[in-house]
Amino acid sequence: QVQLVESGGGLVQAGGSLRLSCAASGRTFSSYGMGWFRQAPGKEREFVAANTYYSHSVKDRFTISGDNAKNTVYLQMNSLKPEDTAVYYCAAKRNLLSPVAVAGNYDYWGQGTQVTVSS
């Protein structure tokens, strides 16, 4: 069992930056594939980043990283745009070989953190 807790969301102006954190408890998160997803109002949950893969909409602006010693994965978000406004979720999957961009492949989810980008 893995528990995931996101933090770091908030309100930021367009062009600004935020860093999201996802702290994992339970089994060490190095045993799992970790990813970030987001869901905007009225839209489906969409893939953001995992491993070295990024969605087209965030590539070159967002960076995923991890700290095994702290059991924490981060999402550094730069050059934020109003369309980045969403609830951001981190997720963990047991099967390291399953495709990273498919939400259904993830077994554990955090509660989400709101990111709002004003224009």
Side-chain angles (χ1 to χ4, degrees), residues 53-106:
Y53 301 98
Y54 298 87
S55 71
H56 178 74
S57 61
V58 308
K59 188 174 174 60
D60 297 326
R61 298 188 298 122
F62 290 12
T63 303
I64 187 172
S65 62
D67 185 333
N68 286 346
K70 295 183 178 180
N71 259 11
T72 300
V73 62
Y74 304 98
L75 184 68
Q76 178 67 44
M77 306 185 296
N78 298 328
S79 302
L80 283 161
K81 304 175 181 180
E83 50 263 45
D84 294 318
T85 295
V87 177
Y88 283 71
Y89 299 89
C90 72
K93 61 184 179 78
R94 293 188 295 263
N95 184 351
L96 298 179
L97 299 180
S98 63
V100 301
V102 178
N105 288 337
Y106 289 79

Side-chain angles (χ1 to χ4, degrees), residues 3 9 15 24-25 28 37 44 49 52 59 62 65-66 69 78 80 91 101 103 108-109 115-117:
Q3 293 79 43
S25 60
T28 56
F37 289 75
E44 293 188 355
T52 59
K59 188 174 174 60
F62 290 12
S65 62
N78 298 328
L80 283 161
Y108 305 101
W109 292 84
V115 171
T116 303
V117 184

